[in-house]
């Protein structure tokens, strides 16, 4: 995970787009650097006030993802955002005119209310600030509210069929089946050494223990067949069978416990791999952009290099110039100049 700097944050916010991967990877990065939450939200607020109206919704999608997915890590983002969201909704209400933007923000507020992200009173205040500047046009305002109510009735399993409208597609994802967020909650990506250690541990798991599996496969059939009890002829045989059953129970209990632990480890490993993959995708995008940037720089430098070579080739060769001093007497030396005759 790349280190946090305000410059890096500004660059990531500038590159943010409405795709799920873009929002998800930046959300993961912000949650990873949650100790800088105060500065991050301050910068986010400054930027959302300056970006075009079309990008304000994308910033709100990012805030929604961070608020909901960071709850398991700590309350920092939720509390810090609650302090500035009134200002944000007032700003959007005062400066924006798009009915689509207001309808989509209304959907986000509905989801927050349904999931208990914020108190109903606080959400009502957000909604009031959002619509305050538009109350003079009651017809449009009523139309917007009706659109919000109609949209909230859409089934949670519904998906957008309009692939060209990315914002609408994202909005349908907002009402998806995810427990807390439109996206799968991601955790902190593991270090490569930690991931390798987990993979090695899985290689030595219970399901790969051929010796124990062979012992279980070779258990005598009479210990699992009640009908075999009728064949016992004396007490010694019954005791011997009881000992075999007890050993089998102990063996199977121990192996089942190991299998259960393995399932937990594999679930954890799957999450680690998902988080690691998300981080690598982000780093890949950054590396591709950096490569493209440096390729352009190289082309500029090569162009300058070519110009220098052409310029040098056009300069005269001083060694080929004629001897302009030929036939002239040499200049007197300093001693000759001051020699008094």
């Amino acid at each position: 995970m790349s280190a946090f700097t305000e410059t890096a944050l500004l660059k990531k916010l500038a590159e943010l787009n409405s795709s799920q991967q873009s929002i998800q990877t930046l959300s993961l990065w912000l949650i990873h650097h949650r100790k800088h939450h105060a500065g991050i939200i301050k910068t986010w607020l400054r930027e959302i006030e300056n970006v075009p109206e079309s990008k304000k919704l994308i910033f709100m999608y990012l805030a929604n993802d961070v608020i909901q997915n960071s709850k398991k890590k700590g309350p920092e983002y939720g509390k810090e955002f609650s302090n500035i969201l009134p200002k944000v909704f007032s700003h959007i209400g005062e400066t924006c005119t798009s009915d689509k933007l207001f309808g989509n923000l209304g959907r986000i507020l509905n989801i927050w209310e349904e999931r208990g992200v914020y108190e109903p009173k606080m959400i009502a205040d957000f909604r009031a600030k959002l619509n305050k500047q538009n109350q003079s046009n009651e017809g449009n305002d009523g139309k917007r509210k009706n659109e919000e109510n109609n949209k909230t009735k859409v089934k949670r399993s519904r998906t957008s069929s309009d692939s060209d409208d990315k914002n609408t597609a994202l909005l349908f994802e907002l009402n998806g089946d995810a427990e807390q967020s439109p996206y799968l909650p991601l955790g902190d990506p593991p270090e490569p050494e930690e991931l390798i250690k987990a993979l090695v541990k899985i290689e030595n798991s219970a399901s790969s223990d051929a010796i124990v599996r062979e012992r279980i496969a070779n258990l005598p059939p009479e210990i699992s067949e009640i009908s075999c009890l009728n064949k016992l002829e004396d007490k010694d045989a019954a005791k011997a069978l009881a000992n075999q059953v007890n050993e089998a129970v102990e063996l199977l209990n121990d192996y089942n416990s190991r299998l259960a632990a393995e399932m937990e480890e594999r679930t954890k490993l799957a999450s680690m791999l998902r988080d690691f993959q998300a981080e690598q995708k982000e780093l890949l995008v950054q590396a591709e952009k950096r490569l493209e940037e440096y390729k352009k720089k190289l082309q500029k430098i090569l162009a300058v290099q070519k110009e220098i070579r052409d310029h040098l080739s056009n300069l005269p060769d001083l060694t080929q110039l004629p001897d302009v001093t030929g036939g002239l007497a040499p200049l007197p030396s300093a001693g000759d100049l001051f020699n008094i005759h």
Side-chain angles (χ1 to χ4, degrees):
M1 184 67 67
S2 57
F4 174 81
T5 63
E6 186 175 0
T7 302
L9 173 60
L10 289 171
K11 182 178 180 182
K12 290 177 183 294
L13 288 174
E15 296 171 349
L16 181 66
N17 59 61
S18 61
S19 69
Q20 177 176 343
Q21 180 180 349
S22 178
I23 294 174
Q24 193 177 60
T25 52
L26 181 50
S27 174
L28 168 66
W29 188 79
L30 295 178
I31 294 173
H32 178 74
H33 294 293
R34 59 189 177 277
K35 66 180 180 180
H36 302 285
H37 64 276
I40 288 172
I41 294 177
K42 182 179 179 181
T43 301
W44 178 91
L45 174 61
R46 184 177 69 246
E47 292 302 305
I48 196 175
E49 290 177 341
N50 295 324
V51 296
E53 181 174 329
S54 59
K55 196 168 182 179
K56 293 186 190 295
L57 181 61
I58 301 175
F59 270 57
M60 290 302 298
Y61 282 142
L62 174 65
N64 170 71
D65 197 82
V66 171
I67 290 169
Q68 295 197 62
N69 283 333
S70 65
K71 291 200 317 187
K72 293 182 180 180
K73 300 288 184 180
E76 302 95 337
Y77 276 114
K79 289 182 178 179
E80 196 73 26
F81 267 110
S82 68
N83 295 329
I84 58 99
L85 282 173
K87 183 177 181 180
V88 172
F89 283 112
S90 293
H91 164 74
I92 294 176
E94 293 170 1
T95 62
C96 299
T97 59
S98 170
D99 284 342
K100 180 179 178 180
L101 171 62
F102 283 96
N104 290 346
L105 291 178
R107 289 283 300 278
I108 293 178
L109 291 175
N110 290 340
I111 292 170
W112 286 357
E113 189 170 13
E114 290 173 6
R115 297 178 178 176
V117 176
Y118 291 115
E119 294 294 328
K121 183 178 179 181
M122 184 178 292
I123 293 177
D125 180 59
F126 294 161
R127 201 183 302 275
K129 292 183 182 299
L130 181 64
N131 295 322
K132 182 177 180 181
Q133 300 300 320
N134 298 277
Q135 289 176 350
S136 59
N137 190 346
E138 294 181 359
N140 290 339
D141 189 52
K143 180 182 177 182
R144 184 183 304 124
K145 289 182 179 178
N146 289 334
E147 289 176 351
E148 291 178 22
N149 291 334
N150 290 334
K151 289 178 182 178
T152 55
K153 296 178 182 179
V154 178
K155 292 184 179 180
R156 288 177 175 266
S157 60
R158 176 179 176 184
T159 57
S160 173
S161 60
D162 186 358
S163 59
D164 295 329
D165 192 345
K166 294 183 179 179
N167 287 341
T168 303
L170 274 170
L171 208 43
F172 282 131
E173 290 184 60
L174 276 169
N175 270 348
D177 292 328
E179 182 180 354
Q180 294 296 338
S181 169
Y183 313 121
L184 291 173
L186 296 176
D188 293 339
E191 296 295 331
E193 295 80 7
E194 183 183 359
L195 185 59
I196 292 172
K197 184 178 179 181
L199 289 168
V200 172
K201 188 175 182 180
I202 288 297
E203 288 184 356
N204 300 323
S205 60
S207 59
S208 60
D209 192 339
I211 297 176
V212 173
R213 293 208 315 272
E214 185 177 359
R215 286 181 60 191
I216 293 174
N218 292 332
L219 288 173
E222 55 267 21
I223 66 172
S224 58
E225 296 292 338
I226 297 179
S227 59
C228 294
L229 297 177
N230 297 327
K231 299 178 181 180
L232 296 175
E233 298 178 353
D234 52 42
K235 190 174 182 179
D236 291 337
K239 287 184 178 180
L241 181 60
N243 289 334
Q244 287 181 318
V245 170
N246 291 337
E247 290 176 359
V249 168
E250 183 179 354
L251 176 64
L252 288 169
N253 278 337
D254 178 68
Y255 191 63
N256 287 341
S257 297
R258 290 175 59 194
L259 287 173
E262 178 185 343
M263 289 176 60
E264 293 180 2
E265 290 295 331
R266 288 189 181 277
T267 301
K268 179 181 177 182
L269 177 61
S271 298
M272 293 171 67
L273 288 170
R274 180 198 63 194
D275 298 341
F276 188 78
Q277 183 183 37
E279 181 194 29
Q280 295 306 309
K281 285 182 178 179
E282 178 189 5
L283 294 175
L284 175 60
V285 171
Q286 294 176 4
E288 289 174 344
K289 290 181 178 179
R290 196 175 297 117
L291 175 60
E292 189 65 27
E293 178 184 347
Y294 290 150
K295 280 183 177 180
K296 291 178 180 178
K297 287 185 178 180
L298 176 60
Q299 292 301 320
K300 291 180 179 179
I301 294 174
L302 290 175
V304 173
Q305 183 187 52
K306 183 177 182 300
E307 288 294 325
I308 292 174
R309 287 176 177 173
D310 292 343
H311 185 71
L312 288 174
S313 64
N314 293 328
L315 290 176
D317 186 354
L318 297 180
T319 62
Q320 302 298 323
L321 292 176
D323 185 6
V324 295
T325 64
L328 297 178
L331 293 175
S333 66
D336 292 336
L337 290 174
F338 294 98
N339 186 19
I340 300 176
H341 296 283

